[in-house]
Amino acid sequence: MKRTPAPKAAARPMARPAGAHPSAAHPRQGAKPRKPIASQHPNRRSAARKPASGSPKLELKNPFAGIGAKKPSSKPAAGGAQGSAPGFLNRGGAPIGSGAAAREQHQKEGRIKLVGGVAVLICVLGLAALVAFFALRDSALFSADNVIIEPSTHVSDADISNLLTVPDGTTLLNVDLANLESQIKRDPWVESLELTREFPHTLRLTIKEQELEAFVVMSSGSLGWYLGGGGSWIEPAKIAVADGQSINDAALQKARSEGVLLITGVPATVDPQAGCAATDDVLAAVDDFRNGFSSGFSSMIVSYDASSADAISCILENGVQISLGSAANISAKEQVAQALLDKYPGQITYINVRNPSSASVRRVGSEDVTQGSGADGQAAGAGGQSSASSADSYSSEG
């Protein structure tokens, strides 16, 4: 009996693996079967397939494209450079050029850091020194156990002992110089006090005396006063007169020993007080002449007579006496007096320039008589007596 074959069951389609192309599961009719990829040689790459003519080109986009990429800057780099400097050189965030510009920027930052560091160091050291000073200023470590005060020409050890007291607890760091100076300046000779610290325990004080300006002799009595350079009275001094010597000549000798100017004939209305300013008009007139004369002419004057402000006179080193009058037309009076001295060298005993336009001169009347000497300006003859003299008029206009 002929057996009839049983009908075959329909084939179940195979499950398409994930990511497989649909055409792989359902091949087109009449298409040639593809060669499996696994059958290709593992070391060869499959050749790229050219798309069929007329079919659109399929492009796959990378889903990670653009992430983390920098957008190109439209601004050119500093200095015209196309590239940019490394990030560690561009700390400020602003683009900088490469090469010399980068080095200059780096050096500038270094200088700024150096200056800042030095300034901080100075502040720290200054603060430390200040703290140390306040910590030690009252410490017995620098106590003034040895105080040395050297006497000066006119200030003795006894004067210093009577005037100066160093307070207890004084150290080389807390010494009050103003207080010590105020004590010692009670002596009118003292102008200031200089302080020297000799660590650890010695304090040296040096007295600076006033500079002397003149020795002033009153019209009455044998007493003179020292006048300081600051225009204040210092102290009186007795004038020792030798036999046959006038008081003015003795005063001139004393003034020259001190290296100062002599002022005589000061009226009794002047009342000097030690440490007080000399404000009398006669002394002010003398100052006007001294400041108005040239230095060369002033150097020839050894003394002034100041009996009144309108009757000032002076005596030169050669003993010539010049009547000056009031402190007016000082320059003209000097010119006339100098002209007469040049015209009659060694022959003049007296010049009157109160009115410089009509000055007069008194000359020695004998060849045996020379010009006077000393503060009195007297002409001494061959026998030591005064001799007669002749007076001449002089006109500055002719």
Side-chain angles (χ1 to χ4, degrees):
M1 183 169 186
K2 189 177 182 178
R3 183 177 294 179
T4 304
K8 295 181 178 181
R12 294 178 60 185
M14 296 179 64
R16 180 166 58 88
H21 198 276
S23 61
H26 302 281
R28 291 179 296 174
Q29 294 182 0
K32 293 182 179 181
R34 293 182 182 178
K35 198 172 188 178
I37 296 176
S39 65
Q40 296 181 5
H41 196 279
N43 295 331
R44 293 181 180 177
R45 288 187 172 183
S46 60
R49 291 184 297 122
K50 294 183 180 181
S53 60
S55 61
K57 184 178 180 181
L58 182 63
E59 295 182 359
L60 296 179
K61 293 184 179 180
N62 185 0
F64 300 101
I67 299 178
K70 294 183 179 180
K71 294 183 179 180
S73 176
S74 60
K75 297 182 180 180
Q82 296 297 327
S84 59
F88 67 89
L89 291 178
N90 189 12
R91 300 178 181 179
I96 61 173
S98 60
R103 287 194 299 272
E104 183 179 355
Q105 177 70 17
H106 187 64
Q107 293 172 357
K108 182 178 180 181
E109 293 178 357
R111 289 193 296 268
I112 292 175
K113 290 182 179 179
L114 178 61
V115 172
V118 172
V120 171
L121 179 60
I122 292 175
C123 292
V124 171
L125 292 178
L127 182 61
L130 188 62
V131 171
F133 173 79
F134 281 104
L136 297 175
R137 66 187 305 267
D138 297 326
S139 172
L141 186 64
F142 299 117
S143 59
D145 298 333
N146 186 25
V147 180
I148 300 175
I149 306 175
E150 299 179 354
S152 61
T153 304
H154 298 93
V155 182
S156 64
D157 289 326
D159 297 332
I160 296 172
S161 300
N162 294 332
L163 294 174
L164 191 62
T165 301
V166 179
D168 294 336
T170 298
T171 70
L172 272 63
L173 299 179
N174 70 1
V175 57
D176 189 351
L177 179 60
N179 178 39
L180 299 180
E181 190 174 71
S182 64
Q183 294 182 45
I184 199 70
K185 285 182 72 173
R186 287 181 290 175
D187 188 317
W189 279 104
V190 178
E191 180 180 352
S192 62
L193 196 64
E194 296 179 357
L195 171 67
T196 303
R197 297 176 176 90
E198 298 177 2
F199 288 90
H201 299 294
T202 300
L203 191 65
R204 187 179 298 274
L205 301 173
T206 304
I207 295 173
K208 182 181 179 182
E209 289 190 359
Q210 284 201 62
E211 293 184 2
L212 287 179
E213 186 76 11
F215 184 64
V216 181
V217 179
M218 306 302 163
S219 58
S220 60
S222 59
L223 194 65
W225 272 82
Y226 288 112
L227 186 63
S232 60
W233 299 107
I234 297 180
E235 71 174 5
K238 188 174 179 61
I239 303 172
V241 181
D243 293 339
Q245 188 182 35
S246 68
I247 189 170
N248 285 346
D249 283 344
L252 179 61
Q253 183 177 353
K254 187 173 184 63
R256 283 186 166 179
S257 68
E258 297 282 359
V260 297
L261 180 72
L262 174 65
I263 302 176
T264 62
V266 176
T269 54
V270 176
D271 185 20
Q273 298 291 331
C276 297
T279 58
D280 304 280
D281 56 350
V282 291
L283 298 176
V286 171
D287 280 341
D288 290 340
F289 277 111
R290 296 184 65 194
N291 296 328
F293 286 147
S294 65
S295 58
F297 193 79
S298 289
S299 64
M300 297 189 298
I301 300 174
V302 296
S303 67
Y304 281 91
D305 184 275
S307 57
S308 72
D310 296 329
I312 305 295
S313 63
C314 68
I315 297 178
L316 307 183
E317 288 180 346
N318 56 13
V320 176
Q321 182 180 4
I322 303 176
S323 180
L324 300 170
S326 62
N329 301 321
I330 297 176
S331 179
K333 292 177 180 180
E334 176 185 344
Q335 292 176 6
V336 172
Q338 187 63 60
L340 289 170
L341 291 170
D342 295 339
K343 184 177 180 180
Y344 305 108
Q347 305 176 37
I348 300 176
T349 60
Y350 175 83
I351 298 174
N352 187 342
V353 289
R354 290 171 178 262
N355 186 357
S357 61
S358 59
S360 62
V361 60
R362 185 181 302 146
R363 293 187 297 163
V364 177
S366 171
E367 294 181 357
D368 296 331
V369 178
T370 60
Q371 287 179 325
S373 62
D376 292 327
Q378 295 177 348
Q385 302 295 327
S386 300
S387 79
S389 60
S390 60
D392 297 333
S393 61
Y394 176 83
S395 175
S396 61
E397 299 176 357

